[in-house]
Amino acid sequence: MYKGFVVDKELLGKDPHFRTGCILCHSGDPREMQKEKAHKGLLKKPSASLSSCGVCHKEIAGNYAKSLHFTSAGQRTGVMPRFSEAELKIFDEKVFEKSCRSCHASCGDCHVKGAPVDGISIGLIAKHKFVKKDEGKTCAFCHGGRVYPEYVGEYGGAPDVHYQKGMLCMDCHKKDEFHGDGNAYASKQDVPTRPACADCHKPGNETNPKARESHLTHADKVSCFGCHSGAAYRNCNTCHNGHSAASPGMILGRSPRDKKILTTLRLIPTVRDTFAPSGIKMENYDKVPNYWDTPAHNIRKRTDRTRRCDTCHEKRTNFLTKGTLLKNGSRANEELIFVPKPIKQ
Amino acid sequence: MNHRLKLRMILLAAFAALCVSRAVLAATPNTCVNCHTNDSLMKAMYKPPILPPSEGEG
């Protein structure tokens, strides 16, 4: 892993980022011969405060300070309905800044050096080159537990059809979604530049009449993922329940955000005693389910559900039932159970 | 020593001082660049991180 700290000498004369020398961003003492002395006062992540990049990239740094990748506000928004007012105060003081926000991405985490995940980092992405994008590294470092391997088909199942067509993360997720637009959103659901399937696949433009009919029948009732998620995907208990006790799975049920919609659900990692070490019992734990609607990144044009109506309407394959609900889970989970109507003869 | 010779001597001294200072500056080590662009040195100095006793990924 030492290569993660080796700088390409040729870059130093070419890239304007290096014109001001190392210490302007990193501090330290370039006259010292011993590593410990040279590294005294070293700033490992100079872009963490955004001010260093903001000298030249003022607008981006200003917007980014309010973006979800920097604020991590989405994590707080997701869990806060479980807390009483007093518990939320403890959470903000003891947990959020120290734990959740410790994962926020600095400019350098995407453009220079891979973000550390659980203490491990591959180091510099391309020998300290300032890269615009390199999704397999920059996105996959943090989103490599579920989304990225799901997309590329790394852990079984077919890869996402968009990946097979040569598309990567930033073909759908545009830079404004990451850099922000100057507004501080509470959740990714609120971000207007968030991609939607219909941005490219306009309803009514289907060439196959059966597909058009099926889309009309299920419009406003089933999400795109509900039918087009191609295979099982990882849930939190795939890894964190007795060391990979569970296999990846697909869960179909009502969206917690809009219970009229049937969609793919993913089990989330907040259990009853998650914040017990910080003295938070989660008084309102049962107000929120243990499943969130998930945009599974394993889209296929044809799936078991698009081929045959009885996969859902008779066999009810992968549908959440009382029997498959998480044990000792939130009481709100039951509200997500959806029973499809039988096909009319 | 006449005035013209004095002026020449001063200019010569100034030029010599400029050359020496540039040479000194050029010789000032930049250990950041020297070490971090040296593959074999970095390999020799690298210590693997000690992992925390937890598992998990994002």
Side-chain angles (χ1 to χ4, degrees):
Chain A
M1 281 305 296
Y2 74 96
K3 284 187 184 292
F5 297 93
V6 177
V7 176
D8 182 355
K9 203 170 188 174
E10 285 189 18
L11 282 174
L12 302 180
K14 290 178 188 170
D15 187 330
H17 287 99
F18 298 105
R19 275 189 203 148
T20 49
C22 311
I23 57 168
L24 189 78
C25 293
H26 285 287
S27 294
D29 190 345
R31 293 163 303 177
E32 287 291 348
M33 299 302 288
Q34 277 185 326
K35 181 187 165 186
E36 287 72 21
K37 287 181 180 172
H39 282 192
K40 197 174 178 187
L42 181 78
L43 286 174
K44 286 185 178 176
K45 288 175 74 169
S47 63
S49 71
L50 305 182
S51 58
S52 50
C53 303
V55 172
C56 296
H57 306 281
K58 193 178 173 185
E59 191 183 345
I60 295 172
N63 287 344
Y64 189 63
K66 294 177 180 173
S67 83
L68 287 167
H69 272 90
F70 189 73
T71 64
S72 307
Q75 290 171 308
R76 184 179 182 273
T77 303
V79 76
M80 65 186 275
R82 297 188 195 275
F83 302 144
S84 66
E85 207 170 302
E87 286 176 332
L88 181 60
K89 205 175 168 193
I90 300 170
F91 175 80
D92 284 341
E93 284 168 5
K94 286 189 176 177
V95 184
F96 187 64
E97 280 298 323
K98 289 174 188 166
S99 183
C100 311
R101 268 214 83 228
S102 67
C103 282
H104 78 266
S106 69
C107 309
D109 284 331
C110 294
H111 294 291
V112 184
K113 187 170 180 275
V117 177
D118 211 26
I120 304 290
S121 164
I122 70 150
L124 297 166
I125 293 165
K127 294 191 168 187
H128 213 308
K129 187 179 176 185
F130 286 76
V131 296
K132 276 202 167 179
K133 59 175 184 174
D134 188 347
E135 291 98 325
K137 292 176 181 170
T138 53
C139 307
F141 282 142
C142 295
H143 300 282
R146 293 171 295 175
V147 174
Y148 193 79
E150 193 169 287
Y151 187 63
V152 301
E154 202 174 80
Y155 56 74
D160 192 293
V161 67
H162 301 91
Y163 178 70
Q164 287 186 317
K165 300 274 183 187
M167 292 170 70
L168 280 171
C169 313
M170 292 199 68
D171 289 308
C172 292
H173 299 276
K174 302 299 178 190
K175 68 178 178 184
D176 285 350
E177 205 185 332
F178 308 112
H179 287 165
D181 60 5
N183 295 306
Y185 296 108
S187 153
K188 65 180 177 183
Q189 312 296 328
D190 303 333
V191 177
T193 49
R194 191 176 176 227
C197 306
D199 292 346
C200 296
H201 304 282
K202 303 285 181 202
N205 283 0
E206 301 90 336
T207 49
N208 182 338
K210 276 189 178 176
R212 188 179 302 173
E213 188 192 337
S214 185
H215 287 159
L216 280 171
T217 306
H218 296 93
D220 302 324
K221 294 175 191 163
V222 185
S223 74
C224 306
F225 307 101
C227 292
H228 290 283
S229 173
Y233 44 83
R234 271 184 189 165
N235 288 276
C236 69
N237 65 341
T238 310
C239 301
H240 295 283
N241 183 17
H243 299 280
S244 304
S247 303
M250 181 184 290
I251 305 165
L252 295 167
R254 294 182 190 276
S255 167
R257 293 177 222 277
D258 181 356
K259 297 204 173 66
K260 297 190 299 293
I261 303 286
L262 172 72
T263 192
T264 39
L265 301 174
R266 199 183 312 250
L267 196 62
I268 55 170
T270 308
V271 290
R272 285 188 187 275
D273 60 355
T274 295
F275 301 106
S278 303
I280 300 172
K281 288 180 183 173
M282 288 194 271
E283 286 179 22
N284 302 324
Y285 182 81
D286 291 298
K287 276 194 178 176
V288 184
N290 296 110
Y291 304 86
W292 280 119
D293 51 317
T294 184
H297 280 61
N298 56 4
I299 297 302
R300 306 296 300 175
K301 190 172 185 178
R302 294 183 185 85
T303 68
D304 290 348
R305 279 149 288 138
T306 65
R307 288 191 188 99
R308 294 180 62 94
C309 304
D310 66 354
T311 307
C312 293
H313 291 277
E314 298 295 335
K315 294 177 185 169
R316 294 170 188 167
T317 309
N318 294 322
F319 277 72
L320 194 64
T321 64
K322 275 195 174 184
T324 58
L325 281 177
L326 181 74
K327 282 170 190 162
N328 194 30
S330 167
R331 282 197 286 275
N333 292 343
E334 285 199 28
E335 295 170 17
L336 306 183
I337 293 172
F338 182 93
V339 182
K341 290 175 187 168
I343 305 164
K344 287 176 190 168
Q345 297 299 322
Chain B
M1 203 181 285
N2 64 24
H3 184 69
R4 280 184 79 175
L5 190 62
K6 261 187 186 174
L7 192 66
R8 274 188 185 176
M9 290 290 282
I10 290 167
L11 282 174
L12 193 66
F15 180 71
L18 186 71
C19 290
V20 169
S21 65
R22 282 178 69 91
V24 167
L25 278 175
T28 302
N30 184 335
T31 53
C32 316
V33 173
N34 291 349
C35 294
H36 282 274
T37 56
N38 186 331
D39 199 275
S40 54
L41 181 65
M42 290 300 289
K43 188 175 184 179
M45 290 181 75
Y46 181 73
K47 288 176 189 164
I50 298 163
L51 300 184
S54 64
E55 57 176 318
E57 50 188 16

